[in-house]
Amino acid sequence: MIHLEQLVKRFRRQTVLQGIDLEIERGHRVALIGSNGAGKTTLIRCLLGEYHYQGLVTIDGLDPRQQRERVLARIGFVPQLPPPLRMPVGQLLAFAAGVCQADPARMVAVAGHLGLDVERFRRHPFVKLSGGQKQKLLISIALGREADLLILDEPAANLDPQARRIFFDLLAQRQDRAAMLISSHRLDEVAALVNRVIELDQGQVVLDDRVADLVDLSSRLACHLALTRADEAFARAIAPWGFTSPDQGLTWQGQVPGADRLRFLGMVSRYAALIGRLTLEETR
């Protein structure tokens, strides 16, 4: 799928990528991690054909510089920072669908699953949407069409827990037939999504580790919590996860996406002194 051979990228006197060799196949869900300046974004831009570089880069045998239109038609890309586009939402969807010869109705349907009513914002400039709305629309453009390669840069950073759950379900539908490259500053944010971890440091691969593919992206965990006392701050924190309480906040129950268990436990850990009992059990 992706073949990198001695990939080097320089900006004037600074060498950002230093001879990277990589092979990524369909079914690989790769966490691309590293600190700021490690070279993650530069590597992604090379795959998208945005930069000149030295070495060899191919995606299914296609050169992203020489055959960029054909390559981009096969890539679903979600950037970390939404572009400052003043184009109305409806026009943006039509343009994006035209580039890859996709049906814009599929993108609108994905947006609806994520909780974004496209019809309500069809005439709104993209730049005036909220951060979460922009993220949902960009994910809809990437996943609302057939793509062999998904490149996702901090894709769920601005999503609420309910939208994240739908997002994981959408990824699960592609996990066997597409390659995924998920860039993040923090491994714990994406650990449950991937089956391979690649770490960059100063433009070099310092870790390339295959991990056990143990988490079904569409799995759910039934969760029950018992608190030592009711707490308003805890109630506000757990409400976006869709949890309910039958007794004014002393016990809580709900479901957590399997791929989001670390994020959920991180949130709950802030209230560790209140928790008398916590259970998580796989439901499917």
Side-chain angles (χ1 to χ4, degrees), residues 30-31 33 187 194-199 207-211:
V30 179
I33 63 171
L187 179 57
V194 302
N195 53 24
R196 184 177 175 187
V197 178
I198 295 174
E199 182 176 2
L207 174 70
D208 186 353
D209 191 19
R210 307 294 174 91
V211 297

Side-chain angles (χ1 to χ4, degrees), residues 50-116:
E50 295 183 10
Y51 290 156
H52 291 283
Y53 48 78
Q54 294 175 286
L56 180 65
V57 177
T58 61
I59 297 175
D60 261 4
L62 300 174
D63 186 315
R65 288 291 301 176
Q66 303 299 322
Q67 299 161 292
R68 193 175 183 206
E69 185 175 341
R70 292 178 63 188
V71 168
L72 292 182
R74 305 178 66 172
I75 295 177
F77 174 52
V78 180
Q80 179 183 4
L81 299 175
L85 298 174
R86 298 191 176 278
M87 188 182 298
V89 167
Q91 186 178 344
L92 175 58
L93 285 171
F95 172 77
V99 168
C100 58
Q101 299 182 337
D103 182 358
R106 288 185 58 187
M107 299 178 181
V108 172
V110 173
H113 287 313
L114 291 169
L116 177 65

Side-chain angles (χ1 to χ4, degrees), residues 96-243:
V99 168
C100 58
Q101 299 182 337
D103 182 358
R106 288 185 58 187
M107 299 178 181
V108 172
V110 173
H113 287 313
L114 291 169
L116 177 65
D117 183 356
V118 170
E119 294 306 320
R120 177 185 172 192
F121 297 102
R122 186 169 288 277
R123 298 181 183 275
H124 283 57
F126 176 79
V127 74
K128 291 189 176 181
L129 299 179
S130 70
Q133 290 166 345
K134 291 176 182 175
Q135 196 78 349
K136 290 176 182 178
L137 190 64
L138 292 173
I139 290 172
S140 301
I141 290 172
L143 300 185
R145 60 191 183 88
E146 292 301 321
D148 301 314
L149 172 60
L150 297 175
I151 300 178
L152 312 170
D153 196 350
E154 302 282 0
N158 293 314
L159 297 183
D160 56 82
Q162 296 292 343
R164 287 172 66 91
R165 178 181 302 177
I166 300 300
F167 174 58
F168 298 144
D169 288 343
L170 293 169
L171 289 184
Q173 296 172 15
R174 306 287 188 90
Q175 63 184 2
D176 295 325
R177 65 180 190 271
M180 301 182 193
L181 188 63
I182 306 173
S183 177
S184 180
H185 294 94
R186 297 175 51 186
L187 179 57
D188 61 348
E189 284 287 314
V190 296
L193 296 176
V194 302
N195 53 24
R196 184 177 175 187
V197 178
I198 295 174
E199 182 176 2
L200 296 183
D201 185 37
Q202 298 182 0
Q204 296 180 311
V205 176
V206 295
L207 174 70
D208 186 353
D209 191 19
R210 307 294 174 91
V211 297
D213 200 355
L214 298 178
V215 177
D216 180 352
L217 293 182
S218 62
S219 67
R220 296 284 185 270
L221 301 172
C223 180
H224 297 270
L225 282 154
L227 305 186
T228 56
R229 61 178 172 81
D231 183 83
E232 290 185 8
F234 180 84
R236 288 193 298 270
I238 204 168
W241 292 83
F243 275 56

Side-chain angles (χ1 to χ4, degrees), residues 2-7 20-23 43 47 56-57:
I2 297 176
H3 175 73
L4 306 180
E5 187 175 327
Q6 285 299 295
L7 174 61
I20 291 180
D21 295 312
L22 278 177
E23 293 280 350
L43 175 58
L47 291 173
L56 180 65
V57 177

Side-chain angles (χ1 to χ4, degrees), residues 30-52:
V30 179
L32 182 65
I33 63 171
S35 59
N36 286 330
K40 303 188 303 298
T41 299
T42 301
L43 175 58
I44 288 173
R45 299 297 178 184
C46 289
L47 291 173
L48 295 173
E50 295 183 10
Y51 290 156
H52 291 283

